[in-house]
Amino acid sequence: MTAKIIDGKEIAAEIRKEITAGVEALLADGGPHPGLATVLVGDNPASHTYVRAKRKACAEVGIESFGHELPADASQAEVEKLVSELNADSAVHGILVQLPLPAGLDEEAILKAISIEKDVDGFHPLNIGRLAQKGREPLFVPCTPAGCLVLLRKAGAKLEGANAVVVGRSNIVGMPAALLLVKENATVTICHSKTTDLPGVCRRADILIAAIGRARMIRGDWIKPGAYVIDVGTNRIDDPTTKSGYRQVGDVDFDEAMEVAGAITPSPGGVGPMTITLLLQNTLRSASRMRP
Ligand code: NDP
């Protein structure tokens, strides 16, 4: 069997076109110009790169972005004051605090300070709590897990009644991905570093989401024939044949999985392009919701 490749770049490009049209329609209808505020604390180079990419993506679909930077030694009060000003700013429909925050800052308190109406990253404890409760709906869902679900739907996976296995239980990927699958009526197993017989558990999965951060850990013979595999992992491995000396691989051994899975996302080019796309979508939704 050769798996179908779930092309995240192509799917993200389609959705971004819809977002561009949505922004234009909102403006034509007298609605607000969607705006995203980014808050970057400190000088983590990866965080700077992510925020730059998010602001560039905003510009491409016609969403305004407002960049705010604070020094690495900013106090808890200073960060919370900025968040509170952005909560009150009517030009801002989404607030993104880039994680991780420098050591010493209370991440939970800062995320909690964001108005849930502007929590486009979906990390506010209330939004996560609603995601975990039956019959309650969060205003926003975290972007990477939401992107995984979009990819599964676009690939034609049947979620209801499926056996889904999520490897990883982080607050930003694994756990919300599992909660989203439960909401879709899948039967979900969450695995982590203490799981026994991980290969055996994975082999029962009709839907397998890998969010581990370990290069090519999931082997072909851990995969049920025909399964849908979503590889969230982004790991750097040495590759002297490339200019940079390294390249990105996922948490799944892609070549082996291609022989067994029914459909699979590549890494790069799978989940990655979806994350920012869902952030743009959340910002547009927020602006549409806040229109006067
Ligand atoms: P975390 O490090 O926060 O979580 C990793 C999870 O994997 C933990 O729950 C951990 O278990 C589990 N784990 C680690 N080792 C093993 C093991 N040997 N067996 C089983 N489970 C294990 O990572 P994130 O969730 O933040 O990210 C996961 C991956 O996804 C990374 O490669 C990251 O770069 C990528 N990522 C990609 C994004 C994108 O847009 N494409 C966005 C966000 C992340 P335990 O809880 O027991 O420690």
Side-chain angles (χ1 to χ4, degrees), residues 43 146 157-158:
D43 35 31
K158 185 175 175 293

Side-chain angles (χ1 to χ4, degrees), residues 144 167-170 172-173 192-193 198 211-214 217 232-235 251 271-272 275:
T144 301
V167 190
R169 56 176 165 182
S170 71
I172 60 166
V173 193
H192 43 75
S193 63
L198 185 61
I212 315 163
R214 300 260 186 282
M217 193 180 103
V232 185
T234 54
N235 311 288
D251 290 341
V271 176
T275 300

Side-chain angles (χ1 to χ4, degrees), residues 3 208 210 212 214-223 229 231 235 247 249-261 264-267:
L208 180 61
I212 315 163
R214 300 260 186 282
R216 298 192 286 216
M217 193 180 103
I218 294 189
R219 308 299 303 262
D221 63 359
W222 298 22
I223 295 169
V229 179
D231 189 353
N235 311 288
R247 73 187 159 96
V249 296
D251 290 341
V252 178
D253 187 313
F254 184 77
D255 293 338
E256 289 183 9
M258 276 297 286
E259 300 301 315
V260 194
I264 182 169
T265 57
S267 175

Side-chain angles (χ1 to χ4, degrees), residues 224-241:
K224 181 175 174 178
Y228 288 81
V229 179
I230 303 291
D231 189 353
V232 185
T234 54
N235 311 288
R236 271 186 183 185
I237 59 162
D238 293 338
D239 184 351
T241 66

Side-chain angles (χ1 to χ4, degrees), residues 147-165:
C148 295
L149 271 278
V150 172
L151 291 173
L152 283 168
R153 279 196 210 96
K154 293 268 183 190
K158 185 175 175 293
L159 302 179
E160 183 161 319
N163 277 325
V165 171

Side-chain angles (χ1 to χ4, degrees), residues 96-255:
L96 175 142
V97 175
Q98 185 63 43
L99 301 177
L101 289 165
L105 290 174
D106 179 345
E107 178 185 299
E108 192 185 347
I110 289 167
L111 295 177
K112 210 164 140 191
I114 298 173
S115 152
I116 63 161
E117 277 83 20
K118 297 189 179 186
D119 175 39
V120 286
D121 247 349
F123 294 150
H124 191 291
L126 264 180
N127 274 324
I128 293 286
R130 287 184 185 178
L131 185 62
Q133 286 176 311
K134 197 172 177 196
R136 306 265 161 83
E137 289 302 328
L139 289 175
F140 299 101
V141 169
C143 301
T144 301
C148 295
L149 271 278
V150 172
L151 291 173
L152 283 168
R153 279 196 210 96
K154 293 268 183 190
K158 185 175 175 293
L159 302 179
E160 183 161 319
N163 277 325
V165 171
V166 180
V167 190
R169 56 176 165 182
S170 71
N171 291 338
I172 60 166
V173 193
M175 189 56 77
L179 294 170
L180 278 170
L181 286 163
V182 170
K183 276 213 186 298
E184 295 292 333
N185 296 319
T187 304
V188 182
T189 306
I190 303 170
C191 301
H192 43 75
S193 63
K194 307 289 184 286
T195 296
T196 53
D197 188 23
L198 185 61
V201 178
C202 290
R203 250 177 241 127
R204 292 197 289 273
D206 304 310
I207 289 167
L208 180 61
I209 297 187
I212 315 163
R214 300 260 186 282
R216 298 192 286 216
M217 193 180 103
I218 294 189
R219 308 299 303 262
D221 63 359
W222 298 22
I223 295 169
K224 181 175 174 178
Y228 288 81
V229 179
I230 303 291
D231 189 353
V232 185
T234 54
N235 311 288
R236 271 186 183 185
I237 59 162
D238 293 338
D239 184 351
T241 66
T242 64
K243 210 166 126 195
S244 58
Y246 61 82
R247 73 187 159 96
Q248 181 182 317
V249 296
D251 290 341
V252 178
D253 187 313
F254 184 77
D255 293 338

